[in-house]
PDB file of all heavy atoms in Angstrom:
ATOM      1  N   HIS A 408      42.476  65.810  19.518  1.00 93.00           N
ATOM      2  CA  HIS A 408      41.665  65.483  20.708  1.00 93.00           C
ATOM      3  C   HIS A 408      41.396  66.668  21.637  1.00 93.00           C
ATOM      4  O   HIS A 408      40.321  66.794  22.210  1.00 93.00           O
ATOM      5  CB  HIS A 408      42.348  64.341  21.519  1.00 93.00           C
ATOM      6  CG  HIS A 408      43.800  64.555  21.704  1.00 93.00           C
ATOM      7  ND1 HIS A 408      44.306  65.297  22.777  1.00 93.00           N
ATOM      8  CD2 HIS A 408      44.885  64.087  21.019  1.00 93.00           C
ATOM      9  CE1 HIS A 408      45.621  65.272  22.746  1.00 93.00           C
ATOM     10  NE2 HIS A 408      46.026  64.570  21.695  1.00 93.00           N
ATOM     11  N   ALA A 409      42.391  67.561  21.774  1.00 93.00           N
ATOM     12  CA  ALA A 409      42.207  68.691  22.684  1.00 93.00           C
ATOM     13  C   ALA A 409      41.166  69.655  22.142  1.00 93.00           C
ATOM     14  O   ALA A 409      40.312  70.155  22.875  1.00 93.00           O
ATOM     15  CB  ALA A 409      43.524  69.431  22.846  1.00 93.00           C
ATOM     16  N   SER A 410      41.184  69.928  20.838  1.00 92.00           N
ATOM     17  CA  SER A 410      40.181  70.832  20.265  1.00 92.00           C
ATOM     18  C   SER A 410      38.802  70.216  20.236  1.00 92.00           C
ATOM     19  O   SER A 410      37.770  70.850  20.443  1.00 92.00           O
ATOM     20  CB  SER A 410      40.589  71.237  18.852  1.00 92.00           C
ATOM     21  OG  SER A 410      40.763  70.127  18.009  1.00 92.00           O
ATOM     22  N   GLU A 411      38.686  68.878  20.061  1.00 93.00           N
ATOM     23  CA  GLU A 411      37.406  68.206  20.102  1.00 93.00           C
ATOM     24  C   GLU A 411      36.777  68.328  21.481  1.00 93.00           C
ATOM     25  O   GLU A 411      35.611  68.666  21.593  1.00 93.00           O
ATOM     26  CB  GLU A 411      37.591  66.713  19.738  1.00 93.00           C
ATOM     27  CG  GLU A 411      37.922  66.436  18.300  1.00 93.00           C
ATOM     28  CD  GLU A 411      36.782  66.634  17.393  1.00 93.00           C
ATOM     29  OE1 GLU A 411      35.631  66.623  17.838  1.00 93.00           O
ATOM     30  OE2 GLU A 411      37.046  66.797  16.163  1.00 93.00           O
ATOM     31  N   ILE A 412      37.586  68.085  22.532  1.00 94.00           N
ATOM     32  CA  ILE A 412      37.055  68.225  23.887  1.00 94.00           C
ATOM     33  C   ILE A 412      36.721  69.660  24.228  1.00 94.00           C
ATOM     34  O   ILE A 412      35.705  69.977  24.842  1.00 94.00           O
ATOM     35  CB  ILE A 412      38.063  67.615  24.893  1.00 94.00           C
ATOM     36  CG1 ILE A 412      38.135  66.103  24.766  1.00 94.00           C
ATOM     37  CG2 ILE A 412      37.698  68.057  26.316  1.00 94.00           C
ATOM     38  CD1 ILE A 412      36.914  65.401  25.307  1.00 94.00           C
ATOM     39  N   ALA A 413      37.563  70.585  23.782  1.00 94.00           N
ATOM     40  CA  ALA A 413      37.343  72.038  24.047  1.00 94.00           C
ATOM     41  C   ALA A 413      36.064  72.489  23.431  1.00 94.00           C
ATOM     42  O   ALA A 413      35.226  73.171  24.060  1.00 94.00           O
ATOM     43  CB  ALA A 413      38.519  72.824  23.588  1.00 94.00           C
ATOM     44  N   LEU A 414      35.845  72.180  22.159  1.00 92.00           N
ATOM     45  CA  LEU A 414      34.615  72.634  21.461  1.00 92.00           C
ATOM     46  C   LEU A 414      33.420  71.974  22.075  1.00 92.00           C
ATOM     47  O   LEU A 414      32.327  72.613  22.248  1.00 92.00           O
ATOM     48  CB  LEU A 414      34.718  72.271  19.988  1.00 92.00           C
ATOM     49  CG  LEU A 414      35.648  73.153  19.124  1.00 92.00           C
ATOM     50  CD1 LEU A 414      35.766  72.594  17.727  1.00 92.00           C
ATOM     51  CD2 LEU A 414      35.159  74.567  19.103  1.00 92.00           C
ATOM     52  N   MET A 415      33.524  70.690  22.399  1.00 93.00           N
ATOM     53  CA  MET A 415      32.411  70.013  23.060  1.00 93.00           C
ATOM     54  C   MET A 415      32.084  70.640  24.401  1.00 93.00           C
ATOM     55  O   MET A 415      30.917  70.824  24.752  1.00 93.00           O
ATOM     56  CB  MET A 415      32.756  68.549  23.212  1.00 93.00           C
ATOM     57  CG  MET A 415      31.642  67.688  23.898  1.00 93.00           C
ATOM     58  SD  MET A 415      32.316  66.188  24.662  1.00 93.00           S
ATOM     59  CE  MET A 415      33.276  66.878  26.017  1.00 93.00           C
ATOM     60  N   SER A 416      33.103  71.012  25.138  1.00 93.00           N
ATOM     61  CA  SER A 416      32.902  71.600  26.466  1.00 93.00           C
ATOM     62  C   SER A 416      32.163  72.955  26.352  1.00 93.00           C
ATOM     63  O   SER A 416      31.254  73.243  27.127  1.00 93.00           O
ATOM     64  CB  SER A 416      34.260  71.845  27.215  1.00 93.00           C
ATOM     65  OG  SER A 416      34.931  70.598  27.376  1.00 93.00           O
ATOM     66  N   LEU A 417      32.564  73.772  25.402  1.00 93.00           N
ATOM     67  CA  LEU A 417      31.876  75.005  25.145  1.00 93.00           C
ATOM     68  C   LEU A 417      30.369  74.773  24.763  1.00 93.00           C
ATOM     69  O   LEU A 417      29.482  75.509  25.245  1.00 93.00           O
ATOM     70  CB  LEU A 417      32.580  75.799  24.061  1.00 93.00           C
ATOM     71  CG  LEU A 417      33.996  76.343  24.452  1.00 93.00           C
ATOM     72  CD1 LEU A 417      34.684  76.884  23.165  1.00 93.00           C
ATOM     73  CD2 LEU A 417      33.907  77.426  25.449  1.00 93.00           C
ATOM     74  N   ASP A 418      30.174  73.804  23.985  1.00 91.00           N
ATOM     75  CA  ASP A 418      28.813  73.462  23.533  1.00 91.00           C
ATOM     76  C   ASP A 418      27.981  72.989  24.704  1.00 91.00           C
ATOM     77  O   ASP A 418      26.826  73.451  24.938  1.00 91.00           O
ATOM     78  CB  ASP A 418      28.889  72.355  22.466  1.00 91.00           C
ATOM     79  CG  ASP A 418      27.548  72.225  21.727  1.00 91.00           C
ATOM     80  OD1 ASP A 418      26.682  73.098  21.796  1.00 91.00           O
ATOM     81  OD2 ASP A 418      27.326  71.162  21.147  1.00 91.00           O
ATOM     82  N   ILE A 419      28.543  72.100  25.541  1.00 92.00           N
ATOM     83  CA  ILE A 419      27.787  71.587  26.683  1.00 92.00           C
ATOM     84  C   ILE A 419      27.566  72.654  27.682  1.00 92.00           C
ATOM     85  O   ILE A 419      26.400  72.758  28.195  1.00 92.00           O
ATOM     86  CB  ILE A 419      28.601  70.384  27.365  1.00 92.00           C
ATOM     87  CG1 ILE A 419      28.545  69.177  26.466  1.00 92.00           C
ATOM     88  CG2 ILE A 419      28.013  70.099  28.723  1.00 92.00           C
ATOM     89  CD1 ILE A 419      29.432  68.018  26.949  1.00 92.00           C
ATOM     90  N   LEU A 420      28.506  73.525  27.954  1.00 90.00           N
ATOM     91  CA  LEU A 420      28.342  74.589  28.893  1.00 90.00           C
ATOM     92  C   LEU A 420      27.213  75.543  28.538  1.00 90.00           C
ATOM     93  O   LEU A 420      26.375  75.938  29.331  1.00 90.00           O
ATOM     94  CB  LEU A 420      29.669  75.370  29.034  1.00 90.00           C
ATOM     95  CG  LEU A 420      29.763  76.314  30.268  1.00 90.00           C
ATOM     96  CD1 LEU A 420      29.729  75.527  31.552  1.00 90.00           C
ATOM     97  CD2 LEU A 420      31.051  77.121  30.144  1.00 90.00           C
ATOM     98  N   GLU A 421      27.160  75.799  27.193  1.00 89.00           N
ATOM     99  CA  GLU A 421      26.124  76.697  26.704  1.00 89.00           C
ATOM    100  C   GLU A 421      24.703  76.060  26.798  1.00 89.00           C
ATOM    101  O   GLU A 421      23.780  76.693  27.311  1.00 89.00           O
ATOM    102  CB  GLU A 421      26.360  77.070  25.240  1.00 89.00           C
ATOM    103  CG  GLU A 421      25.374  78.000  24.659  1.00 89.00           C
ATOM    104  CD  GLU A 421      25.657  78.340  23.208  1.00 89.00           C
ATOM    105  OE1 GLU A 421      26.444  77.635  22.585  1.00 89.00           O
ATOM    106  OE2 GLU A 421      25.113  79.382  22.729  1.00 89.00           O
ATOM    107  N   ILE A 422      24.597  74.831  26.375  1.00 89.00           N
ATOM    108  CA  ILE A 422      23.273  74.182  26.369  1.00 89.00           C
ATOM    109  C   ILE A 422      22.754  73.903  27.762  1.00 89.00           C
ATOM    110  O   ILE A 422      21.552  74.036  28.058  1.00 89.00           O
ATOM    111  CB  ILE A 422      23.302  72.911  25.492  1.00 89.00           C
ATOM    112  CG1 ILE A 422      21.834  72.474  25.116  1.00 89.00           C
ATOM    113  CG2 ILE A 422      24.036  71.796  26.129  1.00 89.00           C
ATOM    114  CD1 ILE A 422      21.131  73.374  24.221  1.00 89.00           C
TER     115      ILE A 422
END
Side-chain angles (χ1 to χ4, degrees):
H408 47 83
S410 57
E411 290 286 339
I412 290 289
L414 286 173
M415 180 203 67
S416 300
L417 291 169
D418 192 20
I419 289 175
L420 194 63
E421 180 179 19
I422 196 69

